[in-house]
Amino acid sequence: MDYSQFLAMKQEIALLVVFLLVFLYDLFMPKRAQRGLSGFTIALFAIFTLGGFCPSFNGGMQSAFGGMYVTGPVMVTIKNILNVGVLIVLIQAAKWANSEHQVIRRGEFFGLLLLTLFGMYLMISARHFLLFVIGLECASLPLAAMVAFEKNRYESHEAAIKYILTAVFSSAVFMMGLSFVYGLTGSLYFDAVAASLSASAGAVVSPLLVVALAFVISGVGFKLSLVPFHLWTADVYHGAPTSVTSYLSVISKGAAAFAFLVILTQVFGAVYSQVWEWMLYALIVLTITVGNLFALRQTNMKRFLAFSSISQAGYIMLGIVGDNAMGMASLMFYILVYVFSNLAAFGVIQAIENQTGKLDRDDYRGLYKSNPHLSVVMMLAMFSLAGIPPFAGFFSKFFIFAGALQGTESIALYVLVLIALINTIPSLFYYLLVVKAMFLSSDEPVIPAFRSACSERVGMWVTVAGILLLGVVSCFYNEILTMCQSYGLVSLV
């Protein structure tokens, strides 16, 4: 075996080095030095995140292990976006991880988080379904342990059981679909499957192919919380620790969305109009509509953001239907904006929960009077998630709509984007309900004035900077679009 192939996996190897250093620090450092574990992990991961933007990590297209693993500028960029989100999650989680009840298990928390990120890396770079499944399980199973992390809370146990059962079932459905794909094409390599389907394109579509695609889309749809595979989301988000919930809603969803893009466009792109176009249209309409309607009814902030994230997943899927470089760039930019916007909201929720334990929207009445800084951060997060200009969320939605419609004359696609656009109206309503409670309530504040932890404030400053900068500085999207146009969808295989 030629071990030089591992040199193509620079980011994965560097991430494993970070994991080993954190593990060894937690295992061997004396008790007095254990206090610095959170700071050590954050500093080490910050160095790793900055290193991901160095040219040495972005040295053009490379493959390893017979083409099972592929990396290049597009994959490196999406991994860097996830790294930024994970760094913010680590910063925001520092106070919770150092709390009296969690301090004994914080090493396990950091280790599990890094392992799930490693699995997501494999999902993004996999070009063989065997490697993809390994990455999928590596990303899913440690998350179940993270959801159950607060072992003294019944809700955490319930959430973990629901998550693990859903993860196992969705993996079984996905692999059943892969067995049909293998039976039809005789290969699990992405390019070989695509070539086999291209050779039969235009012929009568095999019913087995429709069933295979339905199983594959269903399996990944569970990970993305697409309707009707979303029923686990609210209960898991509510029961899991808030740090884990924010990680689930942003990092896990971002990795699954990009992997979904690659599978649909690169593996099954040849039968797009014949087989999976109508499936994706139906999923997008259902996901956006149901997510918005159920978010209207929520008063618990974590359940509210759970249904909000379901709706946002539908908008992310619009980046796939265009099947062009602009759609891919829009999807990546949407994930980047979503990282800052959603983590800003969860940062405020976590700061208030750590201090008071309150999670209901009614508890936020009059928050501006007692905690104006937290109120402003939450307001900016809500405005960005709702797509109100000039904040970053407006531009991410604009680009995702433009990418879906670029170069198309399909009436069905125009109707799809129109339905998505109309759905922004109820989303405006429920996002602004939170702003109304904080700023326009005449009641006395329910939450008293308090000073959040330094780590929580740093995390919120970073997210606010991202929301504002991505809304007014166009170079971020332009760089992503130029890269996608240069390397294109074809080069992802």
Side-chain angles (χ1 to χ4, degrees):
M1 179 178 179
D2 183 7
Y3 290 100
S4 65
Q5 293 184 89
F6 285 100
L7 296 178
M9 306 176 69
K10 295 184 181 71
Q11 283 183 294
E12 286 79 5
I13 292 173
L15 180 61
L16 286 178
V17 170
V18 172
F19 166 76
L20 287 173
L21 291 175
V22 171
F23 175 76
L24 293 173
Y25 187 105
D26 180 51
L27 190 63
F28 292 112
M29 290 299 283
K31 192 170 183 180
R32 182 180 299 177
Q34 287 289 325
R35 301 174 188 171
L37 178 60
S38 297
F40 175 77
T41 304
I42 292 170
L44 201 59
F45 197 83
I47 295 170
F48 167 70
T49 301
L50 292 174
F53 292 94
C54 294
S56 59
F57 277 97
N58 200 355
M61 297 299 298
Q62 294 178 286
S63 65
F65 313 115
M68 295 179 68
Y69 174 93
V70 171
T71 188
V74 175
M75 283 71 80
V76 170
T77 300
I78 194 68
K79 291 173 186 176
N80 286 338
I81 291 173
L82 298 183
N83 289 345
V84 171
V86 171
L87 180 60
I88 297 171
V89 170
L90 287 172
I91 294 171
Q92 291 178 340
K95 181 180 178 180
W96 169 78
N98 291 326
S99 63
E100 180 182 354
H101 298 294
Q102 304 301 329
V103 67
I104 195 171
R105 296 189 295 273
R106 62 183 171 184
E108 288 85 345
F109 171 74
F110 295 138
L112 290 170
L113 187 147
L114 295 174
L115 281 178
T116 61
L117 183 61
F118 178 78
M120 293 171 198
Y121 277 14
L122 294 182
M123 288 170 58
I124 290 167
S125 288
R127 295 301 176 266
H128 188 283
F129 278 115
L130 176 60
L131 185 61
F132 182 87
V133 169
I134 292 172
L136 183 68
E137 296 309 311
C138 186
S140 299
L141 296 179
L143 271 173
M146 292 169 67
V147 170
F149 217 70
E150 293 183 340
K151 65 177 185 178
N152 296 322
R153 287 179 59 238
Y154 168 79
E155 293 86 352
S156 188
H157 292 170
E158 180 186 4
I161 292 171
K162 289 179 178 178
Y163 182 81
I164 192 66
L165 290 176
T166 303
V168 170
F169 179 72
S170 64
S171 296
V173 169
F174 181 74
M175 285 188 275
M176 177 63 75
L178 294 188
S179 68
F180 291 150
V181 170
Y182 184 77
L184 283 166
T185 64
S187 178
L188 290 177
Y189 276 99
F190 287 10
D191 54 354
V193 174
S196 177
L197 294 178
S198 296
S200 61
V204 177
V205 175
S206 167
L208 191 60
L209 177 60
V210 178
V211 174
L213 255 172
F215 277 124
V216 170
I217 291 175
S218 300
V220 183
F222 275 105
K223 308 301 180 185
L224 275 168
S225 304
L226 300 178
V227 175
F229 318 112
H230 69 292
L231 297 176
W232 61 274
T233 311
D235 290 336
V236 172
Y237 280 31
H238 183 197
T242 303
S243 298
V244 178
T245 302
S246 61
Y247 184 81
L248 264 172
S249 70
V250 176
I251 312 304
S252 178
K253 196 177 295 294
F258 186 81
F260 201 30
L261 165 73
V262 174
I263 289 174
L264 288 183
T265 58
Q266 300 306 300
V267 182
F268 301 106
V271 291
Y272 166 65
S273 60
Q274 297 171 284
V275 183
W276 61 268
E277 180 181 14
W278 60 271
M279 293 185 189
L280 198 59
Y281 285 13
L283 282 177
I284 290 172
V285 171
L286 282 173
T287 301
I288 295 175
T289 305
V290 172
N292 281 336
L293 292 178
F294 277 80
L296 289 169
R297 305 176 56 204
Q298 306 305 314
T299 57
N300 181 279
M301 291 298 292
K302 289 169 74 173
R303 296 183 74 89
F304 159 73
L305 285 178
F307 284 104
S308 163
S309 73
I310 292 171
S311 174
Q312 297 288 349
Y315 286 106
I316 292 174
M317 289 300 98
L318 284 172
I320 298 176
V321 297
D323 195 20
N324 54 56
M326 187 175 181
M328 181 170 63
S330 303
L331 181 142
M332 294 171 67
F333 185 73
Y334 201 105
I335 293 172
L336 177 62
V337 171
Y338 186 61
V339 163
F340 288 107
S341 304
N342 221 40
L343 289 182
F346 273 111
V348 175
I349 291 171
Q350 187 166 27
I352 292 174
E353 184 187 20
N354 287 341
Q355 189 69 28
T356 66
K358 297 183 182 297
L359 285 171
D360 202 87
R361 186 177 64 209
D362 289 338
D363 296 327
Y364 284 60
R365 293 196 309 267
L367 183 67
Y368 180 73
K369 300 173 186 176
S370 58
N371 295 277
H373 296 95
L374 293 180
S375 302
V376 170
V377 174
M378 180 63 87
M379 179 189 70
L380 293 176
M382 295 296 104
F383 282 176
S384 184
L385 288 170
I388 296 176
F391 303 105
F394 169 77
F395 294 98
S396 65
K397 280 190 169 62
F398 174 82
F399 291 135
I400 209 84
F401 292 151
L405 294 176
Q406 188 190 38
T408 184
E409 297 180 358
S410 169
I411 300 298
L413 192 49
Y414 276 98
V415 172
L416 174 67
V417 173
L418 178 62
I419 293 172
L421 191 58
I422 292 171
N423 264 283
T424 59
I425 298 172
S427 71
L428 277 171
F429 177 74
Y430 61 71
Y431 285 126
L432 292 179
L433 282 178
V434 180
V435 179
K436 174 179 176 289
M438 295 187 300
F439 287 88
L440 301 180
S441 176
S442 58
D443 300 338
E444 287 299 311
V446 177
I447 298 171
F450 69 92
R451 184 173 176 81
S452 52
C454 178
S455 59
E456 293 170 341
R457 294 198 302 274
V458 170
M460 284 185 274
W461 291 339
V462 173
T463 55
V464 168
I467 291 171
L468 297 177
L469 283 175
L470 292 172
V472 297
V473 181
S474 62
C475 66
F476 295 102
Y477 176 76
N478 288 339
E479 286 294 325
I480 294 174
L481 179 59
T482 301
M483 177 187 61
C484 292
Q485 288 172 337
S486 299
Y487 288 89
L489 286 167
V490 176
S491 69
L492 285 174
V493 176

